[in-house]
Amino acid sequence: MPLQVPPAPAPALRSVLAALGSPTAVREARTPSLRAAQGPVSPELPLPVHVLDRITPSGTAPTRLAGWRFLIRAGERAVAAADTMLTPDGWAFSHFFEGPYIASTERALRHAEAMPMPYQPRLLSVPELYMLTLWLHGDCTADGAGGHLAPSDVLVPLAPAPPGIAAHHPHRASELLKVLTHRMAPAPLLGSPA
């Protein structure tokens, strides 16, 4: 089933296009692949980036929208990504970057395209674990900026994943949240009973 990619806010896309058109922004970016790209580059696959800061005792996971990420394609592959962020003046370009999450995101999206159910792709960051997942949201009509992590949603950890969590292995959100609950639990204070 094809993925139902949510539309990015128009100002977010415009800010990325303006940055790509700025020789200064591209030249000063710490992305050798973007600077070395031959021919035209284009922002594609806008994905809302949500952040999971905590898991409640009831097992729910409230998320917050942190920005939109665009994969920057040159020819047949993504060579970098561009992040945008919400400012008091609206959506603005944040930065370009490259690294293992670019190829890992592309790989996870290709596998998600082959799944029998339609999904809305998003990214879910778990900063405490230095973890990024492809979040396949079951409600394809939902606003990509909103929504709640549903137990039946699918999470695909991207490489590099934290130790003990297999990259590119799809998990029901309810299952992976149980694992993350133990990892995100606060450590006991020194001197307190274990």
Side-chain angles (χ1 to χ4, degrees):
M1 283 264 167
L3 296 174
Q4 305 294 314
V5 178
L13 176 58
R14 282 194 302 269
S15 73
V16 171
L17 289 170
L20 283 171
S22 165
T24 304
V26 172
R27 186 174 55 250
E28 291 180 3
R30 287 184 261 169
T31 54
S33 295
L34 181 59
R35 288 194 310 263
Q38 299 294 315
V41 294
S42 60
E44 297 181 359
L45 287 168
L47 297 173
V49 180
H50 293 260
V51 175
L52 175 65
D53 290 316
R54 63 186 175 85
I55 300 171
T56 66
S58 66
T60 60
T63 66
R64 62 180 167 81
L65 180 67
W68 285 79
R69 177 167 297 166
F70 296 78
L71 294 180
I72 306 300
R73 186 163 304 283
E76 297 294 316
R77 65 182 190 93
V79 295
D83 275 358
T84 62
M85 62 183 179
L86 190 58
T87 69
D89 295 324
W91 288 100
F93 170 75
S94 174
H95 62 280
F96 292 116
F97 69 95
E98 64 182 66
Y101 285 132
I102 308 299
S104 187
T105 300
E106 280 194 306
R107 177 180 169 185
L109 286 166
R110 278 193 307 274
H111 288 291
E113 283 278 344
M115 291 182 160
M117 298 273 301
Y119 290 104
Q120 182 188 82
R122 303 169 174 199
L123 292 172
L124 181 66
S125 173
V126 186
E128 187 175 332
L129 301 177
Y130 301 101
M131 180 178 182
L132 185 65
T133 70
L134 177 64
W135 171 9
L136 300 173
H137 190 52
D139 183 358
C140 294
T141 62
D143 177 4
H148 194 74
L149 185 60
S152 61
D153 286 350
V154 175
L155 297 175
V156 182
L158 300 179
I165 297 177
H168 297 286
H169 179 76
H171 301 269
R172 288 269 173 229
S174 58
E175 296 167 4
L176 189 57
L177 286 177
K178 288 177 189 172
V179 173
L180 298 182
T181 299
H182 299 293
R183 297 215 177 178
M184 294 176 67
L189 297 173
L190 291 176
S192 62

